[in-house]
Amino acid sequence: MSVLHVTSPHVRKPMTTNAVMRHVIYGTIPGLAVLTLLFGWGTLINVVFGSLVAVAAEALVLRLRNRPILFSIKDGSAILTAVLLALAIPPTSPWWITVVGILFAIVIAKQLYGGLGSNPFNPAMIGYVLLLISFPLEMTTWIPANLTEGVAASPSFSQSLALIFGSVDRTVIDGITMATPLDTFKTYAGNDLDMLRSASVLQGSIAGVGWEWVNIAFLVGGLYLVARKIITWHIPVAMVTSLFLLAGLFYIIDPDSYADPIFHVLGGGTMLGAFFIATDPVTAATSNKGKLIYGALIGLLIYVIRAWGGYPDAVAFAVLLLNLCAPTIEYYTQPRAYGHKKANSGIAKS
Amino acid sequence: MSRQIWDIPGGIHPAQNKIQSLQTEITRADIPAELVIPTQQHIGAPAKPCVEVGDKVLKGQVIAEGNGFVSLPVHAPTSGEVIAIESRPIQHPSQIDGVCIVLKPDSNDTWGARHPIDNYQSLERNDVIDAIRNAGIAGMGGAGFPSAIKLGIKPGTKIEQLILNSVECEPYITADDKLIQERADEIIAGLEIMQWLVNPQETLIGIEDNKPDAIAAFKKATANNNIEVVVVPTKYPSGGEKQLIYMLTGKEVSSGGLPSDVGVICQNTGTAYAINRAIHHGEPLVSRITTVTGDAVKHKGNYEVLLGTPVDALLAQAGADMSAASRLIMGGPMMGFSIHDASVPVVKVTNCLLAPTTEEIPVPAQEQACIRCGSCAQVCPAGLLPQQLYWFSKSNELEKAEHFNLADCIECGACSFVCPSNIPLVQYFRFGKGQIRKHKSETIKADHARERFEFRQARLEKEEREKEQKRKARAEAAAKKQAAKKAAALANPPSDASGSPTTPGTDDVADTASNATKLKSAWASATKRWKDAEKALTIAEKNGSDQLEAFQKKVDQLKAKAEKTKALYEDAKTSAASTSPSSPSASPSPAVAPVSNDPMVQLKQASADNFKAWKDAQKKTQEAEANSADNLEALREEEATLKAKSDASKAAMKEARAKEKEAMQAKKATEDPTKQLKLDAAIARTKAKKALKALNSLDDDHASHAALKAAYEKALATADNADAALKAAEEA
Ligand code: SF4
Ligand code: SF4
């Protein structure tokens, strides 16, 4: 008789961390597809290339840290980080942007903090913010979606490859890129309404040409995650609701200077942020009440930074700032335990 | 009538796997070749064996008596001969042994005297409760708490609900289900006895909706009484006592409290059945229904097993192929524990034996990092945050774990079940709880040890002091006697007085003074002599003696002497105070101490002086500032220099003090090393003892077992080292 000494429980739900990561990656597929349709192959190339870089970087650091390499690589968290970062950066970013961003995300923001589960900040967003601050030009110029007036087609596969890996003259790229809808809005809102109304990226659409489709795609992927119980609804709902309400409030006050709430909710990286970035379990709050607060505060910060801050989009900053607050939120939102009159809060007095 | 069901938070839906063991009727298990009956099958003190090896016993005869209030008697499960009373492996999660009475059945299964109670309503409640206690009935759901204690509520306690827990939410187990299907009437009869005992406002039966046959049986059996069958949705762990109480009544048992605090008593199905057998048939608890299941078992089903039947005998009867089993679990897959030794006996709380194959329950996957996904918190029925508890237990931050209510974890395993990273959370929680318990008892024990040590120390010091005082008293008495003699001599023959102006004793004392105590007594006696002489002088004056002058001279002499001794004593005292006072042997001679002490005192004085000077200067400057005096600059400068000076002297003093401390420590180490070593050794020994105790009392898995063992060995080694060091020091 070969009996193992294992303690209870002896049965487990067949859901593993590796599967969780895999499902999140599946969830990004609709968004990735729409981005590729609208902006060409760039994002897809970045996703694949970024994943390779991420796995290599992770393997290297695990080796240096003397940790089992294959076991950790298999959890898929490095690839997920790469995918999220690649989805967030412009499809035309040169390859070194991806490399720098991912190295920073994996090596500094994740592994140096102790690897999966121990990182206080969302690695993908750390990488993104580093890039945004260091290379603002490359990071804010997107090619317009091919639905935009006057834009014939998105770059072909070979064009995309050339844009990313070739030594293209920046001026060539600059010739075909445009400010994103959010950027455009930020530039003209409140001071040049004519320009605002005539900007091609804002023509005939509700949240900038193409972007509403991107966001809807991410929303679909996100709903898949909720349905699979990979994430709970709390963070996305709280975040989108608070963003919507705040945007609505200011839109009612001054529709000329402030974009309408739909524009905010379906513009920029809102849905990607709400379902895929802010819900990164490692860096978010975990109790249901905590998640609601956490999500709502992210929505609020996104609006504040978009409306009055120096950067056009704000998901990354908002998420990182709330990562910082997550432990505190956690301490003050402990659920009430069975048999206790009220919930404990705060930290143990020691 | 439909009743509101309060939903418990969290919960999970593991695969039921109950069908397998529901296919057959309850089978009577064979009487094995040997019954091993543990004296402890319940929570509380083990029973005391009251038979001897070689005794012939009858079925139902008491073979071990209850030992105290929280204890139960144990009965012979069948007739036969006691062949041994010894330590055997028992059903404990940490595989410890326990005292067992080994019975060789005679295969006649002859009952001893049975005393059914025909009309229990005519008896006193306490007599019925005693009958339940004497039948050895313990909660048969898992914990094994003596049922009589639960039922023996304080008079005046209002019980609103009596709940029969027939939920049986653990996968695989069908013992209650089958028992209800076949013997619902008997269970209800038992429940009615309890109803009579505690007189509740309502009596409820909680049962999960996955047992339609059992529900039907119960409905039929309760058609003519006021017992209500409440069907609850299937969800693990709704069979937890506190969870069921909440579901049926909406009441929460407060943390650390008992159900009766909220007017609820909850009993298990098997317990009700056993109570019925005990009262109506006079049969003590000698057998129970156990589910034997798992894919390695051929004849899965429920068996009526004599308590004490070795697990392997039962498995053999059920046709289990243990080479195909991945593990052997006593209890269900969620909360049961795996057993190593299949010779352990079935006891009062053994509701299931599960022998799954490797395909059925595979080897657990490797633990991964917690990704804080929160799944565990979503399913925790106690409303805890397992991921935080895990973190705190792992990093041994026990206070934080306690603050996050680790104590309220019911170890249901729901969190581990869902954890995608395969973290054995419950294992961490058990370890954490054990640590907290250990920590608490350790603190208490350490306090005791310290108190004992300090007490001993104090006693030794007191003895020393008393000895010293006796010595002093003797010296003083002698001195007094002498002085009195002298005074008498002075008063009477004047020629004598001039002949003994000083006594040799005084000089001796002063000369050979080697410590403050001696000096003090010398001072005391000198003073006394002086005072005596003074008295003699007054008397002489009154009498108009012509020897007045001589007397006066004598008094002056004595006074000078007394003052001298006093000065000497005071010197010695200060020097003694600056050295270690607790070791009299280390008391230095007064000649040495002041020298080693002097610089320190000087520095201190200098520092204080300088500080004062600076402060004065500062004050002056401030005053000047206020008055806008014209010598402000000069004053400021002065203040600055004084401050620098003060700081410098302070620093010098600090340095000196540090040095002195070092020196003192070095001195202490060289002069009295044994004391420190003794203390060290004592502490190390206590620690080792504690570690051993923890190791022995381990009710845990082997991961922490190994850790504890290592800790114990380390503590032992430390203790040995300390002892060796002490011995060496003592010899030196
Ligand atoms: S379920 Fe496991 S991985 Fe998820 S938070 Fe809880 S302990 Fe961490
Ligand atoms: S084992 Fe404890 S922490 Fe885990 S789910 Fe059950 S009660 Fe909650």
Side-chain angles (χ1 to χ4, degrees):
Chain A
M1 173 172 89
S2 73
V3 279
L4 269 170
H5 188 74
V6 249
T7 52
S8 65
H10 302 271
V11 286
R12 283 173 184 285
K13 198 175 169 184
M15 170 59 79
T16 61
T17 293
N18 309 4
V20 169
M21 300 292 168
R22 226 170 32 237
H23 281 294
V24 179
I25 295 174
Y26 296 160
T28 63
I29 289 175
L32 178 60
V34 171
L35 279 171
T36 307
L37 278 176
L38 293 178
F39 299 97
W41 295 92
T43 308
L44 191 59
I45 295 172
N46 277 338
V47 164
V48 175
F49 174 62
S51 303
L52 293 176
V53 176
V55 169
E58 177 117 323
L60 184 74
V61 186
L62 286 171
R63 204 192 142 88
L64 292 177
R65 289 179 61 208
N66 259 331
R67 294 292 152 93
I69 298 177
L70 210 60
F71 180 69
S72 296
I73 295 266
K74 273 202 300 201
D75 66 31
S77 59
I79 296 182
L80 179 59
T81 299
V83 170
L84 293 178
L85 182 60
L87 289 172
I89 61 177
T92 51
S93 328
W95 60 272
W96 48 267
I97 288 263
T98 314
V99 172
V100 171
I102 288 195
L103 283 182
F104 198 74
I106 298 284
V107 179
I108 309 284
K110 181 179 169 195
Q111 290 293 349
L112 283 195
Y113 278 105
L116 178 65
S118 307
N119 47 307
F121 297 106
N122 186 319
M125 288 303 101
I126 289 271
Y128 182 83
V129 163
L130 172 89
L131 294 174
L132 189 59
I133 293 171
S134 318
F135 314 106
L137 184 68
E138 284 83 355
M139 287 296 288
T140 49
T141 45
W142 280 68
I143 49 171
N146 54 18
L147 304 173
T148 316
E149 239 179 49
V151 176
S154 43
S156 68
F157 184 67
S158 55
Q159 277 171 327
S160 293
L161 268 184
L163 281 171
I164 292 170
F165 294 105
S167 52
V168 197
D169 190 354
R170 266 323 287 184
T171 52
V172 177
I173 300 182
D174 291 346
I176 57 164
T177 56
M178 264 184 210
T180 61
L182 271 173
D183 221 353
T184 312
F185 197 90
K186 187 161 195 76
T187 317
Y188 301 122
N191 54 41
D192 195 341
L193 290 178
D194 290 338
M195 275 302 280
L196 182 63
R197 297 213 176 92
S198 62
S200 57
V201 289
L202 296 177
Q203 282 313 304
S205 66
I206 39 178
V209 176
W211 282 96
E212 65 268 28
W213 295 114
V214 173
N215 274 285
I216 287 170
F218 279 123
L219 171 64
V220 169
L223 291 179
Y224 164 78
L225 296 187
V226 176
R228 294 297 309 237
K229 295 203 173 151
I230 304 290
I231 58 173
T232 63
W233 54 268
H234 303 83
I235 292 177
V237 168
M239 173 179 147
V240 172
T241 311
S242 84
L243 177 62
F244 185 88
L245 291 180
L246 212 59
L249 182 72
F250 281 93
Y251 184 67
I252 291 168
I253 294 172
D254 182 3
D256 283 342
S257 312
Y258 297 103
D260 65 273
I262 303 283
F263 181 85
H264 274 288
V265 166
L266 292 182
T270 307
M271 288 300 169
L272 177 65
F275 286 95
F276 294 90
I277 311 272
T279 52
D280 166 33
V282 176
T283 53
T286 51
S287 66
N288 290 346
K289 200 162 47 153
K291 283 183 194 167
L292 288 176
I293 295 174
Y294 177 85
L297 287 177
I298 292 183
L300 181 129
L301 273 183
I302 291 180
Y303 189 77
V304 169
I305 300 175
R306 274 185 186 171
W308 301 291
Y311 288 91
D313 204 350
V315 174
F317 292 108
V319 168
L320 290 180
L321 283 172
L322 261 294
N323 285 170
L324 208 59
C325 308
T328 316
I329 295 177
E330 204 88 302
Y331 279 131
Y332 290 97
T333 54
Q334 280 187 53
R336 184 187 66 91
Y338 181 102
H340 288 261
K341 289 240 158 50
K342 59 183 184 55
N344 284 346
S345 70
I347 317 158
K349 345 153 210 0
S350 50
Chain B
M1 171 165 84
S2 83
R3 150 180 296 276
Q4 180 183 0
I5 309 249
W6 282 263
D7 190 19
I8 50 164
I12 51 172
H13 298 94
Q16 293 287 315
N17 284 312
K18 294 196 183 231
I19 293 295
Q20 296 96 311
S21 54
L22 280 173
Q23 304 307 318
T24 53
E25 307 289 282
I26 295 175
T27 318
R28 186 172 288 275
D30 301 336
I31 299 177
E34 186 181 276
L35 286 167
V36 182
I37 307 131
T39 52
Q40 184 172 29
Q41 305 186 25
H42 50 263
I43 285 181
K48 259 203 315 261
C50 58
V51 287
E52 274 170 25
V53 176
D55 282 3
K56 295 261 192 300
V57 294
L58 291 174
K59 183 168 185 164
Q61 182 180 332
V62 174
I63 52 174
E65 284 164 343
N67 189 7
F69 182 62
V70 189
S71 184
L72 285 176
V74 173
H75 304 80
T78 184
S79 55
E81 184 189 339
V82 176
I83 55 169
I85 298 176
E86 61 189 19
S87 210
R88 291 275 184 113
I90 55 167
Q91 75 299 343
H92 199 274
S94 51
Q95 309 150 43
I96 55 175
D97 292 359
V99 175
C100 296
I101 297 170
V102 185
L103 189 69
K104 190 172 164 33
D106 58 14
S107 74
N108 296 331
D109 208 21
T110 328
W111 272 101
R114 277 174 282 182
H115 305 288
I117 301 173
D118 291 329
N119 195 358
Y120 63 85
Q121 282 101 331
S122 63
L123 294 181
E124 285 291 315
R125 283 197 167 73
N126 280 342
D127 294 340
V128 177
I129 287 176
D130 278 345
I132 292 173
R133 174 194 298 276
N134 292 337
I137 298 173
M140 291 168 75
F145 192 74
S147 303
I149 298 179
K150 260 190 180 179
L151 292 169
I153 45 167
K154 274 195 240 75
T157 313
K158 191 85 209 90
I159 294 302
E160 290 165 7
Q161 282 97 5
L162 171 65
I163 295 177
L164 186 71
N165 186 348
S166 301
V167 174
E168 206 169 42
C169 58
E170 273 248 16
Y172 285 99
I173 308 181
T174 55
D176 284 354
D177 189 356
K178 208 72 206 172
L179 184 69
I180 300 165
Q181 288 181 31
E182 297 185 13
R183 305 175 198 173
D185 288 335
E186 294 200 63
I187 298 168
I188 298 299
L191 185 56
E192 279 168 341
I193 298 172
M194 292 192 265
Q195 228 179 342
W196 176 77
L197 280 173
V198 301
N199 192 22
Q201 282 168 8
E202 49 182 356
T203 307
L204 310 171
I205 298 176
I207 186 165
E208 269 185 350
D209 59 10
N210 61 353
K211 305 178 186 57
D213 296 341
I215 295 170
F218 260 156
K219 287 246 160 94
K220 203 168 134 232
T222 58
N224 299 320
N225 55 27
N226 57 354
I227 296 171
E228 188 185 336
V229 181
V230 186
V231 181
V232 299
T234 300
K235 170 156 115 176
Y236 180 86
S238 42
E241 186 173 65
K242 291 179 172 183
Q243 277 63 38
L244 182 63
I245 291 173
Y246 180 73
M247 285 205 293
L248 297 192
T249 67
K251 294 190 226 176
E252 282 186 24
V253 182
S254 66
S255 172
L258 291 173
S260 59
D261 297 345
V262 291
V264 178
I265 285 186
C266 195
Q267 292 281 9
N268 177 268
T269 318
T271 313
Y273 176 75
I275 288 176
N276 167 62
R277 297 305 298 180
I279 302 298
H280 291 299
H281 303 268
E283 292 174 7
L285 181 59
V286 291
S287 66
R288 68 154 297 140
I289 312 292
T290 299
T291 306
V292 183
T293 185
D295 280 353
V297 178
K298 204 152 117 220
H299 311 294
K300 305 179 189 66
N302 286 289
Y303 292 81
E304 184 156 17
V305 195
L306 293 182
L307 301 179
T309 303
V311 162
D312 42 13
L314 182 58
L315 286 172
Q317 187 187 352
D321 173 13
M322 287 316 288
S323 61
S326 67
R327 49 186 119 178
L328 179 56
I329 302 164
M330 197 175 247
M334 293 304 297
M335 292 181 78
F337 50 90
S338 46
I339 48 180
H340 270 195
D341 188 340
S343 70
V344 303
V346 167
V347 292
K348 292 173 185 172
V349 297
T350 311
N351 50 6
C352 182
L353 285 175
L354 177 58
T357 57
T358 318
E359 294 79 60
E360 206 176 1
I361 299 186
V363 177
Q366 200 179 338
E367 177 178 339
Q368 281 170 291
C370 167
I371 54 167
R372 298 180 15 101
C373 63
S375 309
C376 47
Q378 299 287 335
V379 300
C380 178
L384 307 179
L385 292 174
Q387 77 277 20
Q388 306 287 56
L389 295 176
Y390 155 68
W391 194 254
F392 298 143
S393 302
K394 198 173 167 184
S395 56
N396 229 339
E397 294 176 85
L398 300 178
E399 264 163 29
K400 285 190 188 166
E402 275 190 278
H403 182 68
F404 276 68
N405 301 322
L406 178 59
D408 291 309
C409 166
I410 58 169
E411 299 180 18
C412 67
C415 49
S416 306
F417 178 80
V418 295
C419 176
S421 286
N422 293 309
I423 302 172
L425 293 163
V426 182
Q427 199 169 327
Y428 282 103
F429 300 159
R430 287 203 193 106
F431 180 72
K433 282 183 184 176
Q435 289 290 311
I436 290 176
R437 237 177 317 175
K438 209 176 97 193
H439 189 75
K440 281 193 179 143
S441 63
E442 208 162 87
T443 324
I444 295 168
K445 271 193 227 155
D447 283 350
H448 282 170
R450 209 187 42 243
E451 267 163 31
R452 268 204 305 277
F453 182 78
E454 277 167 3
F455 181 73
R456 183 164 170 271
Q457 218 47 23
R459 181 169 54 85
L460 290 179
E461 266 165 33
K462 195 168 146 230
E463 278 170 13
E464 192 62 31
R465 246 198 330 272
E466 275 166 3
K467 258 189 233 158
E468 189 62 38
Q469 255 160 11
K470 266 188 210 147
R471 247 203 315 274
K472 222 160 41 186
R474 268 204 303 277
E476 258 168 36
K480 227 189 250 165
K481 227 153 98 196
Q482 234 171 11
K485 235 198 269 167
K486 235 163 282 151
L490 275 176
N492 294 328
S495 56
D496 261 3
S498 60
S500 56
T502 55
T503 53
T506 323
D507 279 329
D508 272 352
V509 171
D511 290 345
T512 59
S514 64
N515 65 36
T517 332
K518 274 189 197 159
L519 279 171
K520 194 177 173 188
S521 59
W523 165 44
S525 58
T527 315
K528 195 161 181 341
R529 232 171 302 147
W530 159 46
K531 292 279 173 203
D532 284 347
E534 219 163 27
K535 239 186 247 160
L537 177 64
T538 348
I539 296 168
E541 255 170 359
K542 244 191 229 150
N543 300 345
S545 167
D546 50 358
Q547 296 279 334
L548 263 182
E549 241 179 54
F551 271 140
Q552 186 64 53
K553 205 168 140 208
K554 173 85 185 145
V555 166
D556 285 344
Q557 254 174 13
L558 282 171
K559 189 178 171 189
K561 185 134 265 171
E563 257 150 18
K564 203 171 128 207
T565 14
K566 188 183 172 191
L568 266 174
Y569 162 65
E570 233 127 44
D571 254 359
K573 197 165 74 175
T574 38
S575 62
S578 70
T579 53
S580 164
S582 65
S583 46
S585 65
S587 284
S589 64
V592 181
V595 178
S596 72
N597 198 32
D598 247 353
M600 199 53 220
V601 175
Q602 272 170 10
L603 276 172
K604 212 170 180 176
Q605 192 55 44
S607 160
D609 286 353
N610 285 338
F611 185 72
K612 191 160 176 295
W614 165 49
K615 280 284 163 194
D616 282 350
Q618 201 179 32
K619 211 155 138 205
K620 236 188 266 167
T621 323
Q622 269 161 3
E623 261 166 32
E625 257 166 18
N627 305 336
S628 60
D630 41 21
N631 59 345
L632 201 58
E633 273 313 301
L635 279 174
R636 280 216 182 111
E637 223 159 79
E638 199 187 328
E639 188 205 326
T641 30
L642 280 172
K643 179 164 193 266
K645 216 162 143 195
S646 162
D647 285 348
S649 57
K650 226 190 260 168
M653 188 174 73
K654 232 184 224 158
E655 204 174 294
R657 201 177 271 161
K659 265 195 202 135
E660 193 191 39
K661 208 162 162 192
E662 227 167 66
M664 209 124 103
Q665 247 155 18
K667 201 156 123 198
K668 210 157 140 199
T670 51
E671 273 179 358
D672 196 7
T674 45
K675 191 174 153 193
Q676 188 57 36
L677 282 171
K678 238 180 224 160
L679 188 57
D680 282 351
I683 291 173
R685 260 194 308 264
T686 334
K687 265 195 193 145
K689 233 185 257 165
K690 248 175 284 172
L692 182 64
K693 210 152 185 199
L695 192 62
N696 285 340
S697 72
L698 191 74
D699 60 344
D700 221 324
D701 53 277
H702 71 183
S704 46
H705 185 272
L708 271 179
K709 195 156 171 200
Y712 165 59
E713 268 153 17
K714 209 170 126 209
L716 205 63
T718 322
D720 285 349
N721 280 349
D723 272 344
L726 176 61
K727 207 177 258 167
E730 267 169 357
E731 271 160 20

